[in-house]
Amino acid sequence: MTPKHLGQSTPLPASPEQAELDYVPNPRRDQLYLVRFTSPEFTSLCPVTGQPDFAHLVIDYAPADTIVESKSLKLFLGAFRNHAAFHEDCTVGIGERLFREMTPRWLRIGGYWYPRGGIPIDVFWQSGAAPEGLWLPDQGVAPYRGRG
């Protein structure tokens, strides 16, 4: 479980599929706790028009045996910049991949997408019910209000 990217000059992967996520041993595997990553400037491409789409992502998870190494997560998320997919596919796909590979106790992702065609689209996915006793703070992203 030696990280491949940490401390290395690593180019942005050409696609999310090519991105390699690194996982390291959880130093507090006997504890129930929450880890939160936010990506307030996430981008992908509209699969129809090719125009950029922007989102504020919030990823919360309760680790089990491993944690995701943050540089590899940044590279993975950055690989979506040239990836054409609908908001639902990006958001749910990120959550499913992290859950499948890392096998945390629990994971949720909120994708707060900026308007496309005048309609903001928010997408939420979680792996199941949160473990009893896990503190779940609000994701802290206000509903889209435009310029008001």
Side-chain angles (χ1 to χ4, degrees):
M1 285 197 182
T2 302
K4 298 176 188 93
H5 306 294
L6 195 59
Q8 305 296 318
S9 177
T10 308
L12 197 62
S15 71
E17 296 78 23
Q18 291 180 9
E20 291 185 62
L21 285 157
D22 287 335
Y23 303 95
V24 296
N26 177 2
R28 300 286 180 172
R29 71 179 54 150
D30 59 328
Q31 297 291 316
L32 177 61
Y33 65 98
L34 185 81
V35 176
R36 171 169 290 167
F37 287 103
T38 60
S39 180
E41 298 176 349
F42 178 84
T43 59
S44 65
L45 298 176
C46 173
V48 177
T49 66
Q51 295 296 310
D53 286 324
F54 301 88
H56 184 143
L57 298 183
V58 181
I59 302 167
D60 292 325
Y61 74 95
D65 292 331
T66 62
I67 56 176
V68 65
E69 191 280 311
S70 64
K71 181 177 180 182
S72 73
L73 180 63
K74 291 173 200 173
L75 291 167
F76 170 58
L77 296 177
F80 281 84
R81 289 181 183 165
N82 295 314
H83 179 74
F86 289 110
H87 302 335
E88 296 84 351
D89 188 32
C90 288
T91 306
V92 175
I94 291 166
E96 286 179 332
R97 179 162 174 194
L98 287 168
F99 187 73
R100 180 179 64 249
E101 292 182 9
M102 183 173 35
T103 62
R105 296 179 187 186
W106 177 82
L107 185 140
R108 75 174 174 187
I109 182 170
Y112 302 85
W113 293 84
Y114 291 88
R116 178 195 286 168
I119 300 174
I121 300 171
D122 296 336
V123 181
F124 307 98
W125 181 85
Q126 68 181 29
S127 60
E132 187 175 333
L134 181 65
W135 178 48
L136 293 176
D138 181 81
Q139 290 195 326
V141 181
Y144 185 80
R145 291 191 48 207
R147 297 173 79 163

